Amino acid sequence: MGLNGGPSYKPSDAVSFVVECEDQQEIDHHWNMLTANGGQENMCGWLKDKFGFSWQIIPKRIHMLISNPKAMEALVKMKKINIKGLEEAC
C-alpha cells in the first residue's frame, strides 16, 4: 500500500520494493514490465519504474547463488539478474 502525498513528496532510493522470483522467466517478466515506458535499469537487479520508484527483482535463492565470490563478481556486472550466469560463474 502506498500513499500519494502530492508533488512535494518524491520517491527516493531510501526505499525500494523487493520482488523475489522463482525462476528466470519470472525475473524477466517483472523486469520487462517495470522498465517499460520510461523505467530505468540499474545494477545488480535494481531498477526504477516510470514513476521513479526503486525495485529489486531478485531470485529467491539469491543468497545461495552469490555465496561464491566468483558469482558475486558476475552479479556486479549485471543489470537484470541472469540466474544461469550466476550458476555458471561458480
Side-chain angles (χ1 to χ4, degrees), residues 9-38:
Y9 297 98
K10 307 269 187 230
S12 80
D13 292 337
V15 174
S16 65
F17 299 98
V18 177
V19 179
E20 293 183 332
C21 301
E22 292 291 339
D23 55 27
Q24 190 66 49
Q25 183 178 358
E26 190 176 356
I27 288 173
D28 294 346
H29 169 77
H30 291 297
W31 190 270
N32 294 337
M33 294 295 290
L34 290 165
T35 57
N37 302 315

Side-chain angles (χ1 to χ4, degrees), residues 11-16 42 46-48 52-54:
S12 80
D13 292 337
V15 174
S16 65
N42 210 328
W46 288 69
L47 63 85
K48 283 192 178 184
F53 289 99
S54 294

